[in-house]
PDB file of all heavy atoms in Angstrom:
ATOM      1  N   TRP A   1       6.015   7.883  -0.480  1.00 98.00           N
ATOM      2  CA  TRP A   1       6.784   7.584  -1.741  1.00 98.00           C
ATOM      3  C   TRP A   1       6.296   6.414  -2.549  1.00 98.00           C
ATOM      4  O   TRP A   1       6.236   6.479  -3.826  1.00 98.00           O
ATOM      5  CB  TRP A   1       8.302   7.381  -1.192  1.00 98.00           C
ATOM      6  CG  TRP A   1       9.000   8.701  -1.019  1.00 98.00           C
ATOM      7  CD1 TRP A   1       9.218   9.216   0.165  1.00 98.00           C
ATOM      8  CD2 TRP A   1       9.482   9.584  -2.022  1.00 98.00           C
ATOM      9  NE1 TRP A   1       9.928  10.428   0.043  1.00 98.00           N
ATOM     10  CE2 TRP A   1      10.113  10.666  -1.305  1.00 98.00           C
ATOM     11  CE3 TRP A   1       9.498   9.562  -3.397  1.00 98.00           C
ATOM     12  CZ2 TRP A   1      10.711  11.691  -1.961  1.00 98.00           C
ATOM     13  CZ3 TRP A   1      10.132  10.641  -3.984  1.00 98.00           C
ATOM     14  CH2 TRP A   1      10.715  11.667  -3.403  1.00 98.00           C
ATOM     15  N   ILE A   2       5.864   5.372  -1.873  1.00 98.00           N
ATOM     16  CA  ILE A   2       5.290   4.257  -2.569  1.00 98.00           C
ATOM     17  C   ILE A   2       3.935   4.541  -3.247  1.00 98.00           C
ATOM     18  O   ILE A   2       3.790   4.367  -4.422  1.00 98.00           O
ATOM     19  CB  ILE A   2       5.166   3.074  -1.650  1.00 98.00           C
ATOM     20  CG1 ILE A   2       6.552   2.394  -1.347  1.00 98.00           C
ATOM     21  CG2 ILE A   2       4.268   1.928  -2.218  1.00 98.00           C
ATOM     22  CD1 ILE A   2       6.558   1.229  -0.380  1.00 98.00           C
ATOM     23  N   GLU A   3       3.154   5.238  -2.539  1.00 98.00           N
ATOM     24  CA  GLU A   3       1.833   5.571  -2.976  1.00 98.00           C
ATOM     25  C   GLU A   3       1.842   6.652  -4.079  1.00 98.00           C
ATOM     26  O   GLU A   3       0.902   6.735  -4.900  1.00 98.00           O
ATOM     27  CB  GLU A   3       0.924   5.988  -1.888  1.00 98.00           C
ATOM     28  CG  GLU A   3       0.640   4.795  -0.864  1.00 98.00           C
ATOM     29  CD  GLU A   3      -0.287   5.175   0.214  1.00 98.00           C
ATOM     30  OE1 GLU A   3      -0.661   6.344   0.356  1.00 98.00           O
ATOM     31  OE2 GLU A   3      -0.840   4.289   0.970  1.00 98.00           O
ATOM     32  N   GLY A   4       2.841   7.506  -4.017  1.00 98.00           N
ATOM     33  CA  GLY A   4       3.026   8.481  -5.091  1.00 98.00           C
ATOM     34  C   GLY A   4       3.743   8.059  -6.325  1.00 98.00           C
ATOM     35  O   GLY A   4       3.868   8.751  -7.359  1.00 98.00           O
ATOM     36  N   SER A   5       4.139   6.739  -6.368  1.00 98.00           N
ATOM     37  CA  SER A   5       4.873   6.243  -7.551  1.00 98.00           C
ATOM     38  C   SER A   5       3.936   5.798  -8.636  1.00 98.00           C
ATOM     39  O   SER A   5       2.745   5.539  -8.374  1.00 98.00           O
ATOM     40  CB  SER A   5       5.858   5.119  -7.154  1.00 98.00           C
ATOM     41  OG  SER A   5       4.996   3.871  -6.894  1.00 98.00           O
ATOM     42  N   SER A   6       4.536   5.648  -9.805  1.00 98.00           N
ATOM     43  CA  SER A   6       3.644   5.272 -10.969  1.00 98.00           C
ATOM     44  C   SER A   6       3.249   3.792 -10.932  1.00 98.00           C
ATOM     45  O   SER A   6       2.445   3.283 -11.594  1.00 98.00           O
ATOM     46  CB  SER A   6       4.375   5.479 -12.233  1.00 98.00           C
ATOM     47  OG  SER A   6       5.645   4.754 -12.299  1.00 98.00           O
ATOM     48  N   VAL A   7       3.944   3.047  -9.945  1.00 98.00           N
ATOM     49  CA  VAL A   7       3.643   1.598  -9.878  1.00 98.00           C
ATOM     50  C   VAL A   7       2.915   1.283  -8.564  1.00 98.00           C
ATOM     51  O   VAL A   7       3.016   0.105  -7.979  1.00 98.00           O
ATOM     52  CB  VAL A   7       4.904   0.797 -10.010  1.00 98.00           C
ATOM     53  CG1 VAL A   7       5.424   0.760 -11.516  1.00 98.00           C
ATOM     54  CG2 VAL A   7       6.009   1.215  -9.139  1.00 98.00           C
ATOM     55  N   ALA A   8       2.293   2.274  -7.920  1.00 98.00           N
ATOM     56  CA  ALA A   8       1.703   2.039  -6.588  1.00 98.00           C
ATOM     57  C   ALA A   8       0.701   0.968  -6.513  1.00 98.00           C
ATOM     58  O   ALA A   8       0.558   0.260  -5.529  1.00 98.00           O
ATOM     59  CB  ALA A   8       1.003   3.404  -6.179  1.00 98.00           C
ATOM     60  N   ASP A   9       0.025   0.739  -7.708  1.00 98.00           N
ATOM     61  CA  ASP A   9      -0.978  -0.375  -7.752  1.00 98.00           C
ATOM     62  C   ASP A   9      -0.392  -1.719  -7.754  1.00 98.00           C
ATOM     63  O   ASP A   9      -1.064  -2.762  -7.494  1.00 98.00           O
ATOM     64  CB  ASP A   9      -1.931  -0.242  -8.935  1.00 98.00           C
ATOM     65  CG  ASP A   9      -1.133  -0.260 -10.223  1.00 98.00           C
ATOM     66  OD1 ASP A   9       0.018   0.243 -10.255  1.00 98.00           O
ATOM     67  OD2 ASP A   9      -1.646  -0.774 -11.217  1.00 98.00           O
ATOM     68  N   LYS A  10       0.918  -1.780  -7.993  1.00 98.00           N
ATOM     69  CA  LYS A  10       1.665  -3.072  -7.995  1.00 98.00           C
ATOM     70  C   LYS A  10       2.294  -3.362  -6.652  1.00 98.00           C
ATOM     71  O   LYS A  10       3.082  -4.341  -6.531  1.00 98.00           O
ATOM     72  CB  LYS A  10       2.637  -3.116  -9.160  1.00 98.00           C
ATOM     73  CG  LYS A  10       1.905  -2.994 -10.500  1.00 98.00           C
ATOM     74  CD  LYS A  10       3.025  -3.097 -11.522  1.00 98.00           C
ATOM     75  CE  LYS A  10       2.323  -3.135 -12.981  1.00 98.00           C
ATOM     76  NZ  LYS A  10       3.378  -3.219 -14.009  1.00 98.00           N
ATOM     77  N   ILE A  11       2.216  -2.494  -5.560  1.00 98.00           N
ATOM     78  CA  ILE A  11       2.963  -2.640  -4.400  1.00 98.00           C
ATOM     79  C   ILE A  11       1.968  -2.634  -3.233  1.00 98.00           C
ATOM     80  O   ILE A  11       1.169  -1.803  -2.995  1.00 98.00           O
ATOM     81  CB  ILE A  11       3.964  -1.525  -4.202  1.00 98.00           C
ATOM     82  CG1 ILE A  11       4.935  -1.516  -5.399  1.00 98.00           C
ATOM     83  CG2 ILE A  11       4.722  -1.721  -2.858  1.00 98.00           C
ATOM     84  CD1 ILE A  11       5.940  -0.254  -5.246  1.00 98.00           C
ATOM     85  N   ARG A  12       2.082  -3.718  -2.454  1.00 98.00           N
ATOM     86  CA  ARG A  12       1.358  -3.813  -1.127  1.00 98.00           C
ATOM     87  C   ARG A  12       2.320  -3.576   0.014  1.00 98.00           C
ATOM     88  O   ARG A  12       3.231  -4.449   0.220  1.00 98.00           O
ATOM     89  CB  ARG A  12       0.585  -5.069  -1.045  1.00 98.00           C
ATOM     90  CG  ARG A  12      -0.149  -5.151   0.244  1.00 98.00           C
ATOM     91  CD  ARG A  12      -1.062  -6.357   0.289  1.00 98.00           C
ATOM     92  NE  ARG A  12      -1.720  -6.601   1.548  1.00 98.00           N
ATOM     93  CZ  ARG A  12      -2.431  -7.642   1.951  1.00 98.00           C
ATOM     94  NH1 ARG A  12      -2.586  -8.677   1.073  1.00 98.00           N
ATOM     95  NH2 ARG A  12      -2.945  -7.736   3.130  1.00 98.00           N
ATOM     96  N   PHE A  13       2.304  -2.520   0.665  1.00 98.00           N
ATOM     97  CA  PHE A  13       3.324  -2.189   1.732  1.00 98.00           C
ATOM     98  C   PHE A  13       2.667  -2.496   3.080  1.00 98.00           C
ATOM     99  O   PHE A  13       1.613  -1.966   3.358  1.00 98.00           O
ATOM    100  CB  PHE A  13       3.655  -0.686   1.647  1.00 98.00           C
ATOM    101  CG  PHE A  13       4.525  -0.149   2.750  1.00 98.00           C
ATOM    102  CD1 PHE A  13       5.672  -0.833   3.103  1.00 98.00           C
ATOM    103  CD2 PHE A  13       4.280   1.092   3.264  1.00 98.00           C
ATOM    104  CE1 PHE A  13       6.433  -0.287   4.101  1.00 98.00           C
ATOM    105  CE2 PHE A  13       5.118   1.631   4.216  1.00 98.00           C
ATOM    106  CZ  PHE A  13       6.188   0.897   4.676  1.00 98.00           C
ATOM    107  N   ILE A  14       3.341  -3.406   3.763  1.00 98.00           N
ATOM    108  CA  ILE A  14       2.872  -3.934   5.042  1.00 98.00           C
ATOM    109  C   ILE A  14       3.849  -3.646   6.140  1.00 98.00           C
ATOM    110  O   ILE A  14       5.032  -3.975   6.051  1.00 98.00           O
ATOM    111  CB  ILE A  14       2.552  -5.390   4.859  1.00 98.00           C
ATOM    112  CG1 ILE A  14       1.691  -5.774   3.688  1.00 98.00           C
ATOM    113  CG2 ILE A  14       2.065  -5.992   6.182  1.00 98.00           C
ATOM    114  CD1 ILE A  14       1.611  -7.205   3.250  1.00 98.00           C
ATOM    115  N   ILE A  15       3.366  -3.064   7.251  1.00 98.00           N
ATOM    116  CA  ILE A  15       4.233  -2.849   8.459  1.00 98.00           C
ATOM    117  C   ILE A  15       3.922  -4.111   9.349  1.00 98.00           C
ATOM    118  O   ILE A  15       2.883  -4.444   9.691  1.00 98.00           O
ATOM    119  CB  ILE A  15       3.781  -1.530   9.139  1.00 98.00           C
ATOM    120  CG1 ILE A  15       4.126  -0.306   8.315  1.00 98.00           C
ATOM    121  CG2 ILE A  15       4.536  -1.543  10.573  1.00 98.00           C
ATOM    122  CD1 ILE A  15       5.591  -0.070   8.164  1.00 98.00           C
ATOM    123  N   GLY A  16       5.020  -4.827   9.509  1.00 98.00           N
ATOM    124  CA  GLY A  16       4.963  -6.041  10.325  1.00 98.00           C
ATOM    125  C   GLY A  16       6.163  -6.920  10.095  1.00 98.00           C
ATOM    126  O   GLY A  16       6.994  -6.612   9.316  1.00 98.00           O
ATOM    127  N   ASP A  17       6.157  -8.078  10.789  1.00 98.00           N
ATOM    128  CA  ASP A  17       7.346  -8.966  10.755  1.00 98.00           C
ATOM    129  C   ASP A  17       6.982  -9.995   9.729  1.00 98.00           C
ATOM    130  O   ASP A  17       6.102 -10.846   9.828  1.00 98.00           O
ATOM    131  CB  ASP A  17       7.459  -9.669  12.102  1.00 98.00           C
ATOM    132  CG  ASP A  17       8.664 -10.518  12.175  1.00 98.00           C
ATOM    133  OD1 ASP A  17       9.326 -10.845  11.202  1.00 98.00           O
ATOM    134  OD2 ASP A  17       9.054 -11.081  13.332  1.00 98.00           O
ATOM    135  N   ALA A  18       7.820  -9.935   8.617  1.00 98.00           N
ATOM    136  CA  ALA A  18       7.513 -10.851   7.447  1.00 98.00           C
ATOM    137  C   ALA A  18       7.682 -12.342   7.896  1.00 98.00           C
ATOM    138  O   ALA A  18       7.052 -13.151   7.285  1.00 98.00           O
ATOM    139  CB  ALA A  18       8.486 -10.484   6.365  1.00 98.00           C
ATOM    140  N   LEU A  19       8.532 -12.605   8.889  1.00 98.00           N
ATOM    141  CA  LEU A  19       8.749 -13.960   9.281  1.00 98.00           C
ATOM    142  C   LEU A  19       7.473 -14.639   9.730  1.00 98.00           C
ATOM    143  O   LEU A  19       7.348 -15.921   9.429  1.00 98.00           O
ATOM    144  CB  LEU A  19       9.813 -14.050  10.329  1.00 98.00           C
ATOM    145  CG  LEU A  19      11.287 -14.172   9.865  1.00 98.00           C
ATOM    146  CD1 LEU A  19      11.678 -12.841   9.099  1.00 98.00           C
ATOM    147  CD2 LEU A  19      12.246 -14.459  11.009  1.00 98.00           C
ATOM    148  N   THR A  20       6.609 -13.974  10.408  1.00 98.00           N
ATOM    149  CA  THR A  20       5.361 -14.488  10.907  1.00 98.00           C
ATOM    150  C   THR A  20       4.244 -14.155   9.963  1.00 98.00           C
ATOM    151  O   THR A  20       3.261 -14.870   9.779  1.00 98.00           O
ATOM    152  CB  THR A  20       5.043 -14.002  12.306  1.00 98.00           C
ATOM    153  OG1 THR A  20       5.094 -12.563  12.356  1.00 98.00           O
ATOM    154  CG2 THR A  20       6.152 -14.565  13.244  1.00 98.00           C
ATOM    155  N   GLU A  21       4.247 -12.918   9.381  1.00 98.00           N
ATOM    156  CA  GLU A  21       3.057 -12.430   8.641  1.00 98.00           C
ATOM    157  C   GLU A  21       2.995 -12.930   7.153  1.00 98.00           C
ATOM    158  O   GLU A  21       1.888 -13.054   6.641  1.00 98.00           O
ATOM    159  CB  GLU A  21       3.015 -10.859   8.722  1.00 98.00           C
ATOM    160  CG  GLU A  21       2.890 -10.339  10.145  1.00 98.00           C
ATOM    161  CD  GLU A  21       1.694 -10.810  10.851  1.00 98.00           C
ATOM    162  OE1 GLU A  21       0.609 -10.848  10.209  1.00 98.00           O
ATOM    163  OE2 GLU A  21       1.758 -11.191  12.025  1.00 98.00           O
ATOM    164  N   ALA A  22       4.121 -13.038   6.507  1.00 98.00           N
ATOM    165  CA  ALA A  22       4.038 -13.428   5.108  1.00 98.00           C
ATOM    166  C   ALA A  22       3.470 -14.817   4.861  1.00 98.00           C
ATOM    167  O   ALA A  22       2.581 -14.881   4.000  1.00 98.00           O
ATOM    168  CB  ALA A  22       5.467 -13.388   4.510  1.00 98.00           C
ATOM    169  N   PRO A  23       3.713 -15.797   5.652  1.00 98.00           N
ATOM    170  CA  PRO A  23       3.022 -17.074   5.477  1.00 98.00           C
ATOM    171  C   PRO A  23       1.545 -16.968   5.654  1.00 98.00           C
ATOM    172  O   PRO A  23       0.815 -17.781   5.085  1.00 98.00           O
ATOM    173  CB  PRO A  23       3.646 -17.926   6.452  1.00 98.00           C
ATOM    174  CG  PRO A  23       5.043 -17.426   6.764  1.00 98.00           C
ATOM    175  CD  PRO A  23       4.821 -15.928   6.687  1.00 98.00           C
ATOM    176  N   ARG A  24       1.090 -16.000   6.440  1.00 98.00           N
ATOM    177  CA  ARG A  24      -0.399 -15.844   6.695  1.00 98.00           C
ATOM    178  C   ARG A  24      -1.095 -15.265   5.548  1.00 98.00           C
ATOM    179  O   ARG A  24      -2.388 -15.251   5.573  1.00 98.00           O
ATOM    180  CB  ARG A  24      -0.526 -15.053   7.969  1.00 98.00           C
ATOM    181  CG  ARG A  24      -0.049 -15.705   9.259  1.00 98.00           C
ATOM    182  CD  ARG A  24      -0.189 -14.761  10.468  1.00 98.00           C
ATOM    183  NE  ARG A  24       0.313 -15.468  11.681  1.00 98.00           N
ATOM    184  CZ  ARG A  24       0.511 -14.749  12.747  1.00 98.00           C
ATOM    185  NH1 ARG A  24       0.235 -13.505  12.862  1.00 98.00           N
ATOM    186  NH2 ARG A  24       0.989 -15.360  13.857  1.00 98.00           N
ATOM    187  N   LEU A  25      -0.366 -14.723   4.585  1.00 98.00           N
ATOM    188  CA  LEU A  25      -1.049 -14.204   3.416  1.00 98.00           C
ATOM    189  C   LEU A  25      -1.718 -15.178   2.509  1.00 98.00           C
ATOM    190  O   LEU A  25      -2.680 -14.949   1.829  1.00 98.00           O
ATOM    191  CB  LEU A  25      -0.071 -13.413   2.517  1.00 98.00           C
ATOM    192  CG  LEU A  25       0.538 -12.087   3.144  1.00 98.00           C
ATOM    193  CD1 LEU A  25       1.574 -11.579   2.203  1.00 98.00           C
ATOM    194  CD2 LEU A  25      -0.568 -11.081   3.397  1.00 98.00           C
ATOM    195  N   GLY A  26      -1.205 -16.397   2.548  1.00 97.00           N
ATOM    196  CA  GLY A  26      -1.756 -17.501   1.731  1.00 97.00           C
ATOM    197  C   GLY A  26      -1.317 -17.321   0.278  1.00 97.00           C
ATOM    198  O   GLY A  26      -2.044 -17.801  -0.636  1.00 97.00           O
ATOM    199  N   VAL A  27      -0.304 -16.552   0.043  1.00 98.00           N
ATOM    200  CA  VAL A  27       0.248 -16.284  -1.311  1.00 98.00           C
ATOM    201  C   VAL A  27       1.315 -17.163  -1.688  1.00 98.00           C
ATOM    202  O   VAL A  27       2.281 -17.343  -0.858  1.00 98.00           O
ATOM    203  CB  VAL A  27       0.515 -14.860  -1.459  1.00 98.00           C
ATOM    204  CG1 VAL A  27       1.144 -14.512  -2.833  1.00 98.00           C
ATOM    205  CG2 VAL A  27      -0.634 -13.848  -1.214  1.00 98.00           C
ATOM    206  N   THR A  28       1.225 -17.744  -2.925  1.00 98.00           N
ATOM    207  CA  THR A  28       2.473 -18.447  -3.399  1.00 98.00           C
ATOM    208  C   THR A  28       3.317 -17.463  -4.185  1.00 98.00           C
ATOM    209  O   THR A  28       2.872 -16.782  -5.147  1.00 98.00           O
ATOM    210  CB  THR A  28       2.104 -19.682  -4.358  1.00 98.00           C
ATOM    211  OG1 THR A  28       1.338 -20.608  -3.549  1.00 98.00           O
ATOM    212  CG2 THR A  28       3.312 -20.310  -4.831  1.00 98.00           C
ATOM    213  N   PHE A  29       4.584 -17.329  -3.857  1.00 98.00           N
ATOM    214  CA  PHE A  29       5.508 -16.317  -4.441  1.00 98.00           C
ATOM    215  C   PHE A  29       6.384 -17.023  -5.462  1.00 98.00           C
ATOM    216  O   PHE A  29       6.702 -18.250  -5.359  1.00 98.00           O
ATOM    217  CB  PHE A  29       6.336 -15.608  -3.406  1.00 98.00           C
ATOM    218  CG  PHE A  29       5.556 -14.830  -2.459  1.00 98.00           C
ATOM    219  CD1 PHE A  29       5.154 -15.330  -1.296  1.00 98.00           C
ATOM    220  CD2 PHE A  29       5.153 -13.401  -2.821  1.00 98.00           C
ATOM    221  CE1 PHE A  29       4.372 -14.559  -0.383  1.00 98.00           C
ATOM    222  CE2 PHE A  29       4.450 -12.683  -1.935  1.00 98.00           C
ATOM    223  CZ  PHE A  29       3.960 -13.206  -0.671  1.00 98.00           C
ATOM    224  N   ASP A  30       6.681 -16.204  -6.469  1.00 98.00           N
ATOM    225  CA  ASP A  30       7.695 -16.641  -7.539  1.00 98.00           C
ATOM    226  C   ASP A  30       9.078 -16.226  -7.207  1.00 98.00           C
ATOM    227  O   ASP A  30      10.059 -16.786  -7.800  1.00 98.00           O
ATOM    228  CB  ASP A  30       7.288 -16.210  -8.848  1.00 98.00           C
ATOM    229  CG  ASP A  30       5.712 -16.493  -9.200  1.00 98.00           C
ATOM    230  OD1 ASP A  30       5.462 -17.700  -9.398  1.00 98.00           O
ATOM    231  OD2 ASP A  30       4.871 -15.647  -9.156  1.00 98.00           O
ATOM    232  N   MET A  31       9.234 -15.157  -6.368  1.00 98.00           N
ATOM    233  CA  MET A  31      10.510 -14.583  -6.105  1.00 98.00           C
ATOM    234  C   MET A  31      10.505 -13.838  -4.716  1.00 98.00           C
ATOM    235  O   MET A  31       9.401 -13.374  -4.385  1.00 98.00           O
ATOM    236  CB  MET A  31      10.858 -13.580  -7.311  1.00 98.00           C
ATOM    237  CG  MET A  31      12.019 -12.743  -7.041  1.00 98.00           C
ATOM    238  SD  MET A  31      12.318 -11.631  -8.446  1.00 98.00           S
ATOM    239  CE  MET A  31      13.318 -10.417  -7.787  1.00 98.00           C
ATOM    240  N   ALA A  32      11.545 -13.953  -4.041  1.00 98.00           N
ATOM    241  CA  ALA A  32      11.671 -13.226  -2.787  1.00 98.00           C
ATOM    242  C   ALA A  32      12.987 -12.385  -2.813  1.00 98.00           C
ATOM    243  O   ALA A  32      13.934 -12.874  -3.304  1.00 98.00           O
ATOM    244  CB  ALA A  32      11.541 -14.121  -1.577  1.00 98.00           C
ATOM    245  N   PHE A  33      12.912 -11.219  -2.123  1.00 98.00           N
ATOM    246  CA  PHE A  33      14.161 -10.487  -1.967  1.00 98.00           C
ATOM    247  C   PHE A  33      14.309 -10.213  -0.462  1.00 98.00           C
ATOM    248  O   PHE A  33      13.436  -9.475   0.091  1.00 98.00           O
ATOM    249  CB  PHE A  33      13.939  -9.100  -2.748  1.00 98.00           C
ATOM    250  CG  PHE A  33      15.194  -8.183  -2.569  1.00 98.00           C
ATOM    251  CD1 PHE A  33      16.438  -8.607  -2.818  1.00 98.00           C
ATOM    252  CD2 PHE A  33      14.988  -6.818  -2.326  1.00 98.00           C
ATOM    253  CE1 PHE A  33      17.543  -7.739  -2.729  1.00 98.00           C
ATOM    254  CE2 PHE A  33      16.046  -5.998  -2.311  1.00 98.00           C
ATOM    255  CZ  PHE A  33      17.361  -6.471  -2.432  1.00 98.00           C
ATOM    256  N   LEU A  34      15.389 -10.731   0.102  1.00 98.00           N
ATOM    257  CA  LEU A  34      15.685 -10.587   1.541  1.00 98.00           C
ATOM    258  C   LEU A  34      16.595  -9.424   1.674  1.00 98.00           C
ATOM    259  O   LEU A  34      17.761  -9.423   1.260  1.00 98.00           O
ATOM    260  CB  LEU A  34      16.391 -11.822   2.010  1.00 98.00           C
ATOM    261  CG  LEU A  34      15.647 -13.176   1.728  1.00 98.00           C
ATOM    262  CD1 LEU A  34      16.388 -14.319   2.433  1.00 98.00           C
ATOM    263  CD2 LEU A  34      14.159 -13.126   2.183  1.00 98.00           C
ATOM    264  N   ASP A  35      16.175  -8.438   2.452  1.00 96.00           N
ATOM    265  CA  ASP A  35      16.992  -7.208   2.701  1.00 96.00           C
ATOM    266  C   ASP A  35      16.670  -6.673   4.095  1.00 96.00           C
ATOM    267  O   ASP A  35      16.593  -5.484   4.272  1.00 96.00           O
ATOM    268  CB  ASP A  35      16.743  -6.205   1.632  1.00 96.00           C
ATOM    269  CG  ASP A  35      17.808  -5.092   1.622  1.00 96.00           C
ATOM    270  OD1 ASP A  35      18.834  -5.306   2.241  1.00 96.00           O
ATOM    271  OD2 ASP A  35      17.598  -4.063   1.044  1.00 96.00           O
ATOM    272  N   GLY A  36      16.295  -7.502   5.044  1.00 94.00           N
ATOM    273  CA  GLY A  36      15.906  -7.059   6.409  1.00 94.00           C
ATOM    274  C   GLY A  36      17.072  -7.245   7.324  1.00 94.00           C
ATOM    275  O   GLY A  36      18.217  -7.007   7.048  1.00 94.00           O
ATOM    276  N   ASP A  37      16.658  -7.598   8.657  1.00 95.00           N
ATOM    277  CA  ASP A  37      17.662  -7.799   9.671  1.00 95.00           C
ATOM    278  C   ASP A  37      18.591  -8.877   9.372  1.00 95.00           C
ATOM    279  O   ASP A  37      18.145 -10.064   9.256  1.00 95.00           O
ATOM    280  CB  ASP A  37      16.832  -8.143  10.979  1.00 95.00           C
ATOM    281  CG  ASP A  37      17.678  -8.084  12.201  1.00 95.00           C
ATOM    282  OD1 ASP A  37      18.964  -8.071  12.102  1.00 95.00           O
ATOM    283  OD2 ASP A  37      17.130  -8.061  13.388  1.00 95.00           O
ATOM    284  N   LYS A  38      19.918  -8.635   9.282  1.00 95.00           N
ATOM    285  CA  LYS A  38      20.917  -9.546   8.978  1.00 95.00           C
ATOM    286  C   LYS A  38      21.062 -10.688  10.027  1.00 95.00           C
ATOM    287  O   LYS A  38      21.325 -11.803   9.761  1.00 95.00           O
ATOM    288  CB  LYS A  38      22.204  -8.986   8.623  1.00 95.00           C
ATOM    289  CG  LYS A  38      22.166  -7.700   7.859  1.00 95.00           C
ATOM    290  CD  LYS A  38      21.355  -7.857   6.601  1.00 95.00           C
ATOM    291  CE  LYS A  38      21.263  -6.430   5.966  1.00 95.00           C
ATOM    292  NZ  LYS A  38      20.255  -6.488   4.844  1.00 95.00           N
ATOM    293  N   ARG A  39      20.592 -10.348  11.242  1.00 96.00           N
ATOM    294  CA  ARG A  39      20.790 -11.278  12.343  1.00 96.00           C
ATOM    295  C   ARG A  39      19.736 -12.526  12.243  1.00 96.00           C
ATOM    296  O   ARG A  39      19.932 -13.604  12.775  1.00 96.00           O
ATOM    297  CB  ARG A  39      20.485 -10.631  13.612  1.00 96.00           C
ATOM    298  CG  ARG A  39      21.567  -9.673  14.044  1.00 96.00           C
ATOM    299  CD  ARG A  39      21.158  -8.810  15.236  1.00 96.00           C
ATOM    300  NE  ARG A  39      20.014  -7.912  14.939  1.00 96.00           N
ATOM    301  CZ  ARG A  39      19.487  -7.091  15.853  1.00 96.00           C
ATOM    302  NH1 ARG A  39      20.029  -6.842  16.946  1.00 96.00           N
ATOM    303  NH2 ARG A  39      18.514  -6.438  15.428  1.00 96.00           N
ATOM    304  N   THR A  40      18.694 -12.281  11.383  1.00 97.00           N
ATOM    305  CA  THR A  40      17.669 -13.280  11.165  1.00 97.00           C
ATOM    306  C   THR A  40      17.593 -13.728   9.780  1.00 97.00           C
ATOM    307  O   THR A  40      16.523 -14.179   9.278  1.00 97.00           O
ATOM    308  CB  THR A  40      16.342 -12.780  11.733  1.00 97.00           C
ATOM    309  OG1 THR A  40      15.894 -11.609  11.039  1.00 97.00           O
ATOM    310  CG2 THR A  40      16.254 -12.554  13.251  1.00 97.00           C
ATOM    311  N   TYR A  41      18.633 -13.556   8.989  1.00 97.00           N
ATOM    312  CA  TYR A  41      18.562 -14.001   7.553  1.00 97.00           C
ATOM    313  C   TYR A  41      18.322 -15.452   7.339  1.00 97.00           C
ATOM    314  O   TYR A  41      17.639 -15.801   6.502  1.00 97.00           O
ATOM    315  CB  TYR A  41      19.932 -13.606   6.894  1.00 97.00           C
ATOM    316  CG  TYR A  41      19.936 -12.386   6.006  1.00 97.00           C
ATOM    317  CD1 TYR A  41      19.045 -11.372   6.151  1.00 97.00           C
ATOM    318  CD2 TYR A  41      20.743 -12.334   4.909  1.00 97.00           C
ATOM    319  CE1 TYR A  41      18.998 -10.201   5.344  1.00 97.00           C
ATOM    320  CE2 TYR A  41      20.743 -11.215   4.104  1.00 97.00           C
ATOM    321  CZ  TYR A  41      19.866 -10.227   4.210  1.00 97.00           C
ATOM    322  OH  TYR A  41      19.817  -9.084   3.481  1.00 97.00           O
ATOM    323  N   VAL A  42      18.890 -16.321   8.241  1.00 98.00           N
ATOM    324  CA  VAL A  42      18.574 -17.779   8.046  1.00 98.00           C
ATOM    325  C   VAL A  42      17.112 -17.987   8.324  1.00 98.00           C
ATOM    326  O   VAL A  42      16.474 -18.791   7.488  1.00 98.00           O
ATOM    327  CB  VAL A  42      19.444 -18.518   9.057  1.00 98.00           C
ATOM    328  CG1 VAL A  42      18.915 -20.004   9.047  1.00 98.00           C
ATOM    329  CG2 VAL A  42      20.902 -18.492   8.654  1.00 98.00           C
ATOM    330  N   GLU A  43      16.562 -17.355   9.358  1.00 98.00           N
ATOM    331  CA  GLU A  43      15.084 -17.602   9.586  1.00 98.00           C
ATOM    332  C   GLU A  43      14.256 -16.933   8.328  1.00 98.00           C
ATOM    333  O   GLU A  43      13.253 -17.626   8.013  1.00 98.00           O
ATOM    334  CB  GLU A  43      14.708 -16.895  10.895  1.00 98.00           C
ATOM    335  CG  GLU A  43      15.329 -17.568  12.127  1.00 98.00           C
ATOM    336  CD  GLU A  43      16.784 -17.316  12.338  1.00 98.00           C
ATOM    337  OE1 GLU A  43      17.316 -16.361  11.688  1.00 98.00           O
ATOM    338  OE2 GLU A  43      17.449 -18.013  13.143  1.00 98.00           O
TER     339      GLU A  43
END
């Protein structure tokens, strides 16, 4: 569904735990949207 969308080139879909993997990207973000496991929202 992501790859078939008209904005596929603007989305990088990654299977993994964002809590550990996102900081390893070395990317500075301007915005974040949290919508994962509610039990680890603070983390």
Side-chain angles (χ1 to χ4, degrees):
W1 278 101
I2 288 177
E3 294 181 350
S5 73
S6 62
V7 289
D9 61 323
K10 295 182 178 181
I11 303 174
R12 183 173 171 187
F13 176 41
I14 304 164
I15 295 293
D17 186 351
L19 273 65
T20 57
E21 298 302 317
R24 294 175 182 170
L25 292 174
V27 175
T28 298
F29 295 94
D30 307 289
M31 174 178 158
F33 180 47
L34 309 183
D35 195 18
D37 188 346
K38 315 312 172 192
R39 295 168 296 183
T40 57
Y41 253 30
V42 170
E43 291 75 14

